Amino acid sequence: MKKSLLLAGVSFLALQSAFADLVLIQKATTDGQVQEINVKIKGDKTRMDMGEQMTVIYDGATSNMVMLMHAQKVMMKMDEETLKSMMAMAGSALGGTAPAAKPVATGEKEKIGEHECEIYTWSGQLGTGKFWIAKDFPHYQELNAAQDKMTKAMGSPVSGMLPQASDFPGMVVKSELILSGKSNVSELVSMKEETVEEAVFVPPTDYQEMKMPGIPGK
């Protein structure tokens, strides 16, 4: 469970952006199992629903995160200190803090949805990957900059796991990764501006709080 939560936290924070009122839908396939991921962004607040199993709510202004496990009706709250401790544990478990290898352009192109993409490959201590990059994606520079800012705020171990968003000259609309021996395919289905209500960022009152496992002092 700890490993799943660490990877979920990394994946979630990579989606945090500075734009308000955006709704993104991704299709994620892990070892053959397909899951739809819905992301709602309003200012500094982000909510990510991973199927019907888990929801993550993050406030970029306070660096506070809440994970909701719906089947058990429990929640885990994490502040900035806890998040950095979690990422330090992840970095140690995954082989240290060596800088991530840079992605390499293959010169190949392929259309993904409505976007003409350039294909990049990557190989690092965590695994290997293939990325489809759309240079015509709206606001990709701002989105990538916001992503990298959040990654650096979490602590240096994260930088050794995967390429930085700013390493790409566009938006990653599809990726195929082999991480710790597991296949992970992610594809951006849609992104649109849509009013997001503040209420979606409020944790339910009938969920029981559970302490984050394995964090000293927490």
Side-chain angles (χ1 to χ4, degrees), residues 74-85:
V74 298
M75 72 173 73
M76 286 190 292
K77 296 181 179 180
M78 288 162 280
D79 55 19
E80 183 176 10
E81 180 183 350
T82 303
L83 285 171
K84 287 185 177 181
S85 296

Side-chain angles (χ1 to χ4, degrees), residues 25 37 70 78 87 99 130 195-196:
I25 298 177
I37 299 175
H70 300 299
M78 288 162 280
M87 291 303 104
K130 185 176 181 180
T195 300
V196 177

Side-chain angles (χ1 to χ4, degrees), residues 3 13 17 19-21 30 53 74 89 102 104 133 141-142 146-147 159 161 163 176 179 182 186-188 194 218:
K3 184 176 180 181
L13 287 173
S17 86
F19 290 98
D21 296 289
T30 302
Q53 291 75 40
V74 298
M89 289 173 59
K102 298 295 184 180
V104 178
I133 308 302
Q141 291 175 317
E142 292 90 340
Q147 172 181 330
S159 64
M161 294 181 182
E176 294 181 352
L179 303 177
K182 291 185 177 294
S186 179
E187 185 170 347
L188 182 64
E194 182 178 299
K218 298 294 180 180

Side-chain angles (χ1 to χ4, degrees), residues 29-183:
T29 305
T30 302
D31 279 356
Q33 295 189 349
V34 181
Q35 185 178 64
E36 184 174 278
I37 299 175
N38 289 271
V39 181
K40 297 180 176 68
I41 302 171
K42 188 178 186 70
D44 290 320
K45 297 178 181 179
T46 303
R47 175 184 174 120
M48 181 170 72
D49 294 294
M50 292 173 278
E52 299 180 353
Q53 291 75 40
M54 180 184 292
T55 294
V56 182
I57 300 172
Y58 180 76
D59 188 334
T62 62
S63 297
N64 291 331
M65 176 188 288
V66 178
M67 286 187 176
L68 306 174
M69 276 65 73
H70 300 299
Q72 300 83 7
K73 298 191 74 171
V74 298
M75 72 173 73
M76 286 190 292
K77 296 181 179 180
M78 288 162 280
D79 55 19
E80 183 176 10
E81 180 183 350
T82 303
L83 285 171
K84 287 185 177 181
S85 296
M86 183 177 72
M87 291 303 104
M89 289 173 59
S92 176
L94 293 169
T97 60
K102 298 295 184 180
V104 178
T106 65
E108 301 175 5
K109 295 184 179 181
E110 183 178 345
K111 193 168 185 178
I112 302 295
E114 61 184 16
H115 299 286
E116 189 68 37
C117 298
E118 296 186 6
I119 298 175
Y120 283 68
T121 58
W122 164 82
S123 179
Q125 59 182 349
L126 184 59
T128 60
K130 185 176 181 180
F131 302 85
W132 285 257
I133 308 302
K135 291 185 176 181
D136 62 349
F137 200 91
H139 307 300
Y140 84 83
Q141 291 175 317
E142 292 90 340
L143 288 165
N144 286 351
Q147 172 181 330
D148 286 345
K149 181 179 179 180
M150 289 306 308
T151 302
K152 291 176 182 177
M154 291 168 58
S156 61
V158 178
S159 64
M161 294 181 182
L162 295 168
Q164 298 292 292
S166 56
D167 290 336
F168 297 106
M171 185 75 173
V172 179
V173 297
K174 181 180 178 181
S175 64
E176 294 181 352
L177 300 169
I178 303 295
L179 303 177
S180 301
K182 291 185 177 294
S183 171

